[in-house]
């Protein structure tokens, strides 16, 4: 029997359809309708961590606590202090409560609470949108500890990640940052940490370079040294139920930013128990 | 043929221009010998042997960066069996502590653009002159 062209095309279509329908059965991880990892897939594999932070917004109402955190980070990472708000670079900074946690604010929220300054930084999301859009692999979710890392060598400055991040955690270097980096008397930057260059995006890395040598992030260390700031920032492995972050998350009422987006932030906030009275001392 | 002088002159000019790399190098008064580099502070030896490092230091640094930043591995075991922390600042620059007298001198000689110090903090220590 000689196959007609029409029949050949029909059979080819049926084979393609059949093979395509079978693909999801081959790999159970490929089910595209799960919004974010659930069940076994959500748990970190054996031996992997997820670093996380709990910010106590009440303790961080003290301006000296916030200032110490921001200052420690800026010095540790040679973050440039560019006065122009349109070009400023920040890793950790303060924003009003109503902007940080818009889902917690309603028409009758006390204005003192709305304006209360809250520390913000990269959330090191479980499902980071920035990573999904990066065309060069310059930013990625590190499997071993869940840090959303940056490799400045690979960044081409397309700023897709900045558009994708719902938290504004990323800053672009519109110009060479060196002139705005704090220096020692001899003109060298205060830290050995590489400065960035014009045309790359930067953000908080949970102090990956400090964690590597067993030290806590600079902001956490700085907060604990300020009187009244002990425990303002708690850092640890959220996949370990015995860690301090896990304990705080169990015991206190915590929220995180814009949960509805499904990004799975790993920076959590202990909300104030009462409306702050001494709020609005200015942003750190 | 009346055009012969012009053609010969044109060919001559072309040959002179085409041979520019040859005669410019011959006429150059610059010192063609390789640059003398600042010696490393620690004489115990580099991560790998000198010739290998001269040829492949950029590859080594790239591989180190990938290991540390992506794979979370901090230590490198050299072919001689010695263990090193994979860190530009923490390892390399502890010995090669003068970027002008070491890195720049050779990169200028080889006409290879050096971009590291645009971000990394360049060491400006007292380079031990040989």
């Amino acid at each position: 029997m000689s196959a007609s062209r029409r029949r050949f095309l029909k059979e080819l279509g049926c084979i393609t359809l059949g093979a395509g329908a079978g693909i999801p059965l081959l790999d159970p991880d490929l089910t595209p309708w799960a919004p974010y990892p659930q069940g076994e897939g959500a748990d970190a594999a054996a031996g992997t961590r997820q670093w996380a932070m709990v910010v106590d917004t009440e303790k961080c109402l003290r301006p000296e606590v916030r200032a110490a955190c921001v200052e420690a980070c800026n010095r540790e990472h040679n973050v440039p202090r560019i006065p122009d708000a349109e070009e400023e670079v920040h890793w950790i900074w303060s924003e009003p409560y109503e902007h940080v946690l818009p889902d917690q604010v309603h028409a009758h929220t006390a204005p003192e609470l709305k304006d209360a300054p809250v520390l913000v930084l990269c959330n090191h999301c479980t499902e980071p949108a920035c990573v999904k859009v990066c065309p060069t692999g310059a930013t990625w979710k590190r499997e071993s500890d869940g840090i959303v890392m940056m490799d400045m060598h690979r960044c081409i400055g397309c700023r897709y990640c900045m558009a994708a991040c719902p938290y504004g955690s990323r800053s672009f270097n519109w110009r060479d940052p060196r002139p705005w980096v704090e220096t020692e008397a001899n003109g060298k930057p205060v830290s050995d940490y590489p400065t960035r260059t014009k045309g790359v995006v930067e953000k908080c890395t949970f102090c990956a370079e400090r964690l590597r040598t067993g030290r806590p992030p600079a902001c956490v260390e700085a907060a604990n040294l300020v009187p009244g700031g002990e425990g303002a920032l708690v850092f640890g492995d959220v996949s370990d139920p015995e860690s301090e972050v896990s304990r705080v998350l169990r015991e206190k009422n915590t929220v995180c930013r814009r949960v509805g987006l499904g990004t799975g932030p790993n920076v959590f906030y202990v909300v104030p128990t009462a409306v702050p009275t001494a709020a609005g001392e200015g942003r750190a | 043929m009346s055009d012969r002088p012009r053609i010969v002159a044109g060919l001559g000019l072309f040959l002179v221009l085409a041979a520019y790399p040859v005669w410019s190098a011959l006429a150059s008064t610059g010192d063609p010998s390789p640059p003398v580099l600042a010696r490393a502070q620690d004489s115990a030896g580099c991560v790998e042997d000198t010739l290998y490092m001269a040829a492949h230091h950029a590859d080594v640094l790239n591989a180190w960066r990938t290991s540390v930043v992506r794979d979370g591995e901090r230590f490198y075991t050299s072919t001689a069996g010695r263990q090193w922390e994979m860190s530009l600042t923490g390892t390399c620059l502890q010995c090669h502590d003068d970027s002008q007298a070491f890195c720049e001198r050779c990169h200028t000689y080889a006409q290879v653009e050096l971009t590291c110090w645009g971000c990394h903090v360049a060491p400006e220590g007292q380079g031990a002159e040989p």
Side-chain angles (χ1 to χ4, degrees), chain A residues 78 137-138 140 142 149-151 153-154 178 188-189 191-197 212-213, chain B residues 62 65-66 68-72 74 85-86 89 94 117-125:
Chain A
N78 288 325
W140 73 100
R142 196 154 73 175
M149 286 289 289
M150 270 301 294
D151 181 353
H153 302 87
R154 279 210 198 175
R178 274 286 170 97
K188 285 187 106 176
S191 165
D192 274 345
Y193 197 85
T195 64
R196 274 66 63 194
T197 186
R212 199 181 291 149
T213 55
Chain B
N62 279 344
R65 178 198 60 216
T66 304
V68 174
V69 171
R70 293 188 185 252
D71 307 332
R74 286 181 57 214
E85 187 186 357
M86 292 189 277
T89 312
Q94 294 305 309
W117 312 127
C119 294
H120 293 273
V121 180
E124 293 159 1

Side-chain angles (χ1 to χ4, degrees), chain B residues 93-114:
Chain B
L93 305 186
Q94 294 305 309
C95 293
H96 303 292
D97 70 346
D98 190 335
S99 63
Q100 282 299 327
F102 187 73
C103 316
E104 300 277 359
R105 220 173 257 177
C106 193
H107 273 255
T108 305
Y109 172 74
Q111 277 206 352
V112 178
E113 197 187 350
L114 181 58

Side-chain angles (χ1 to χ4, degrees), chain A residues 62-105:
Chain A
R62 291 164 169 267
E64 67 272 18
V65 174
R66 295 197 310 279
C69 298
V70 175
E71 184 65 16
C73 178
N74 285 351
R75 287 180 63 92
E76 179 80 21
H77 305 109
N78 288 325
V79 177
R81 294 121 201 267
I82 300 174
D84 182 351
E86 289 198 347
E87 298 191 2
E88 72 181 358
V89 172
H90 40 216
W91 288 32
I92 179 170
W93 71 106
S94 299
E95 290 285 349
Y97 183 86
E98 63 173 332
H99 293 168
V100 180
L101 300 164
D103 300 337
Q104 310 293 321
V105 175

Side-chain angles (χ1 to χ4, degrees), chain A residues 244-255:
Chain A
E244 204 188 344
V245 263
S246 296
R247 185 185 59 75
V248 174
L249 288 172
R250 267 199 307 274
E251 293 173 359
K252 292 193 174 165
N253 177 18
T254 52
V255 295

Side-chain angles (χ1 to χ4, degrees), chain A residues 34-43:
Chain A
Y36 24 86
Q38 292 163 339
E40 283 184 8
D43 298 329

Side-chain angles (χ1 to χ4, degrees), chain A:
Chain A
M1 183 187 92
S2 69
S4 70
R5 174 186 161 82
R6 184 175 168 79
R7 176 157 179 195
F8 171 75
L9 288 175
K10 271 187 185 169
E11 285 174 356
L12 196 67
C14 286
I15 291 167
T16 313
L17 265 180
I23 286 175
L25 303 174
L26 300 176
D27 186 356
D29 290 339
L30 271 181
T31 41
W33 46 83
Y36 24 86
Q38 292 163 339
E40 283 184 8
D43 298 329
T48 61
R49 298 181 165 127
Q50 172 62 61
W51 292 121
M53 188 183 285
V54 180
V55 179
D56 190 322
T57 51
E58 210 159 283
K59 287 180 182 165
C60 288
L61 284 174
R62 291 164 169 267
E64 67 272 18
V65 174
R66 295 197 310 279
C69 298
V70 175
E71 184 65 16
C73 178
N74 285 351
R75 287 180 63 92
E76 179 80 21
H77 305 109
N78 288 325
V79 177
R81 294 121 201 267
I82 300 174
D84 182 351
E86 289 198 347
E87 298 191 2
E88 72 181 358
V89 172
H90 40 216
W91 288 32
I92 179 170
W93 71 106
S94 299
E95 290 285 349
Y97 183 86
E98 63 173 332
H99 293 168
V100 180
L101 300 164
D103 300 337
Q104 310 293 321
V105 175
H106 49 77
H108 303 287
T109 304
E112 294 83 359
L113 183 59
K114 279 186 177 175
D115 294 340
V118 176
L119 279 180
V120 287
L121 65 158
C122 172
N123 283 296
H124 296 276
C125 302
T126 304
E127 293 288 321
C130 53
V131 167
K132 296 200 193 314
V133 297
C134 179
T136 62
T139 191
W140 73 100
K141 177 88 176 163
R142 196 154 73 175
E143 282 183 11
S144 57
D145 55 9
I147 293 181
V148 175
M149 286 289 289
M150 270 301 294
D151 181 353
M152 301 302 169
H153 302 87
R154 279 210 198 175
C155 180
I156 55 170
C158 69
R159 291 176 283 139
Y160 280 10
C161 56
M162 293 178 67
C165 176
Y167 309 105
S169 298
R170 292 170 166 268
S171 305
F172 185 64
N173 285 278
W174 292 95
R175 55 177 83 198
D176 179 17
R178 274 286 170 97
W180 281 271
V181 171
E182 190 183 335
T183 53
E184 306 276 13
N186 61 9
K188 285 187 106 176
V190 284
S191 165
D192 274 345
Y193 197 85
T195 64
R196 274 66 63 194
T197 186
K198 182 180 174 179
V200 297
V201 172
E202 62 183 86
K203 68 168 196 79
C204 157
T205 61
F206 261 172
C207 284
E209 80 287 355
R210 289 170 61 97
L211 295 172
R212 199 181 291 149
T213 55
R215 292 177 300 158
C219 55
V220 176
E221 192 177 84
N224 283 330
L225 290 176
V226 178
E230 300 90 352
L233 303 181
V234 175
F235 184 82
D237 178 11
V238 79
S239 64
D240 170 15
E242 302 303 314
S243 69
E244 204 188 344
V245 263
S246 296
R247 185 185 59 75
V248 174
L249 288 172
R250 267 199 307 274
E251 293 173 359
K252 292 193 174 165
N253 177 18
T254 52
V255 295
C256 60
R257 299 178 69 187
R258 305 185 70 178
V259 269
L261 296 175
T263 51
N266 284 298
V267 174
F268 304 90
Y269 291 90
V270 179
V271 287
T273 46
V275 170
T277 50
E281 297 100 330
R283 290 167 55 177

